[in-house]
Amino acid sequence: MLVLLRRLVSPERLYIAALGLTGLAALVSVTLPATERGELAANMVSATMGAALGGFSIDTFLLSRPGGWIISRGRRWILGILALSLVLTLVAAALLTALAGIGSYAVGMGAACGLTVFNTAASLGLRLKRFWFVYSMRAVAGAVLVVGYGFLYLDKQLDGGLWSMLWLVVQVVAAAVLGLAVLAWARRFRPIPAATAGQPEYRADLVAMGRLHIGVCAQMLTYRMSQILVARFAGAGALGVYALAVAALEFAQSGAVVKSQRILAERDPDAIRDHGREVIKGALPVASLAVIGLTVLGLVAPDYHYAWIFGLLLLPGTLALSAGKTWSAALLKRSGEQATTAVALITMSVSMVLYFLLIPWAGAFGAAIASSVAYGVYAFRTRQSLQRNSHFLLKRMA
């Protein structure tokens, strides 16, 4: 039965289903008053940013390593990196919660650590080509969250803090289950050979990880800092509506995320092709439906009547970001961390200027405009760098 299900449901469809369930959870959360949903959103963004900024980008780093890398480094090296990542994740989540001025330190810090563990385990699973299992875990977590939110709503528990605690529990349990699965897969490789890497290789890893992490941090600040600043300058109500629009439009990027992960898992950089036009064609109808859905929601839930405007302002940037993610993955595989980091730093510089100019003045509207412009800059610069490096490689091979 399980084999038949795997044949019928591809990893791509399963990942889209997982994102769909996450989107459904976001939709169910609109039953909360906007201010309560703002508290939930603040906890989520503090945790996700904390995991990204403090997590040392260990998930992306593991995916981008060549074949045989894990065996050559040994499990102590990987566990050491993970332990350091968890410490930095705690610090980052705490600082972001303080900056937002909204949310729970316990939820933000706890969920951030859960996300770091889950992302690390997911990367190890994807390296082993366990796409179906990893994406099914995401789908199950989303389904549990939807059911849990539903029970809380039926019980008339419309407290954003309580819903945040449920979200925290789901993240921690999902991380534990996937982590145990990875350990079980690792047992099949016993006896595990001794690490063969020396000090030069370990130093090179740290340098590569640092370069990659600078870029990932820059990307995360571009993607999520707007929500932290909306919480700080516009309050929980505005954040609750704006974060809903962001979540709705992110669903349109599901195809790009799957393509990017497959590009990163590809061992032959020369086999990578351009998926930009393909993911834009897939993202446009989904993004359009998301804006329509936000419009309908605004008609039935007055607290969210501005959500469709935020979605419309974010739509051009969403399409650009979808293509940019696949181009960035290809650029990373072909040219290394330095190329993607340069693009990310340029984009972050533009976004931070726009965020601090527009959000204190225009609130969530300014955040939507600034985000869309920043995403466009990111896609343009990534494509430009990929073309430049591809031409260089072709000339060098001639």
Side-chain angles (χ1 to χ4, degrees):
M1 184 65 181
L2 185 59
V3 174
L4 178 61
L5 184 61
R6 288 185 177 184
R7 290 179 179 177
L8 293 175
V9 182
S10 66
E12 287 84 358
R13 291 178 179 176
L14 192 57
Y15 187 84
I16 291 173
L19 283 184
L21 287 166
T22 302
L24 182 58
L27 181 61
V28 174
S29 70
V30 303
T31 56
L32 289 171
T35 52
E36 296 297 330
R37 192 185 187 283
E39 181 181 357
L40 174 63
N43 284 321
M44 287 182 171
V45 72
S46 294
T48 53
M49 283 191 71
L53 300 180
F56 231 172
S57 306
I58 187 173
D59 52 342
T60 306
F61 179 74
L62 288 174
L63 274 176
S64 64
R65 293 306 91 191
W69 181 88
I70 291 179
I71 299 298
S72 69
R73 268 36 174 198
R75 59 185 177 183
R76 287 186 179 180
W77 180 241
I78 295 174
L79 290 175
I81 294 174
L82 177 59
L84 177 60
S85 297
L86 289 173
V87 173
L88 295 176
T89 293
L90 286 170
V91 174
L95 292 175
L96 288 164
T97 302
L99 177 60
I102 302 171
S104 163
Y105 285 95
V107 173
M109 296 166 69
C113 288
L115 288 169
T116 296
V117 173
F118 184 93
N119 292 337
T120 303
S123 296
L124 293 171
L126 293 175
R127 283 186 66 93
L128 294 172
K129 306 297 183 182
R130 305 277 182 164
F131 294 99
W132 203 90
F133 185 88
V134 172
Y135 295 155
S136 66
M137 280 300 307
R138 292 185 184 274
V140 170
V144 171
L145 198 59
V146 170
V147 173
Y149 284 170
F151 276 119
L152 288 176
Y153 173 73
L154 293 175
D155 197 38
K156 297 182 179 180
Q157 299 289 337
L158 302 182
D159 178 11
L162 184 59
W163 288 46
S164 297
M165 287 299 298
L166 173 62
W167 181 74
L168 165 64
V169 171
V170 170
Q171 305 313 311
V172 172
V173 172
V177 172
L178 187 56
L180 290 174
V182 170
L183 291 176
W185 296 332
R187 282 179 169 270
R188 299 178 183 179
F189 292 95
R190 288 190 171 183
I192 300 175
T196 58
Q199 291 300 321
E201 287 81 8
Y202 290 129
R203 283 195 295 267
D205 286 345
L206 292 177
V207 171
M209 188 180 297
R211 289 175 177 172
L212 175 63
H213 189 51
I214 291 172
V216 171
C217 286
Q219 288 181 354
M220 182 53 63
L221 289 170
T222 299
Y223 298 157
R224 290 286 183 264
M225 194 63 180
S226 61
Q227 294 186 44
I228 295 291
L229 294 179
V230 168
R232 165 62 65 179
F233 292 107
L239 175 62
V241 181
Y242 175 68
L244 174 65
V246 172
L249 270 294
E250 282 182 347
F251 181 61
Q253 302 170 29
S254 57
V257 173
V258 173
K259 290 294 183 185
S260 299
Q261 290 179 338
R262 287 193 172 276
I263 290 171
L264 289 173
E266 175 62 55
R267 294 292 178 259
D268 181 11
D270 295 330
I272 299 172
R273 61 185 182 88
D274 188 350
H275 296 280
R277 185 174 297 181
E278 176 186 348
V279 296
I280 288 177
K281 286 183 178 179
L284 179 57
V286 180
S288 301
L289 287 174
V291 174
I292 293 172
L294 291 172
T295 304
V296 174
L297 174 64
L299 295 175
V300 299
D303 274 4
Y304 298 92
H305 63 284
Y306 287 128
W308 73 273
I309 301 179
F310 299 148
L312 192 63
L313 292 173
L314 288 166
L315 193 148
T318 296
L319 299 180
L321 186 58
S322 296
K325 285 184 175 180
T326 61
W327 293 335
S328 181
L331 182 62
L332 176 61
K333 294 295 290 187
R334 289 181 176 179
S335 306
E337 295 85 0
Q338 188 171 355
T340 55
T341 298
V343 173
L345 289 174
I346 292 172
T347 307
M348 183 196 68
S349 300
V350 173
S351 65
M352 288 300 105
V353 171
L354 292 174
Y355 290 159
F356 280 97
L357 283 177
L358 296 180
I359 294 176
W361 170 63
F365 293 99
I369 295 171
S371 296
S372 212
V373 172
Y375 298 162
V377 171
Y378 168 73
F380 174 76
R381 291 294 300 174
T382 302
R383 177 65 173 171
Q384 189 179 52
S385 297
L386 182 61
Q387 288 179 325
R388 185 185 304 119
N389 283 277
S390 297
H391 291 161
F392 174 75
L393 287 174
L394 288 173
K395 289 179 180 179
R396 191 173 63 181
M397 293 171 62

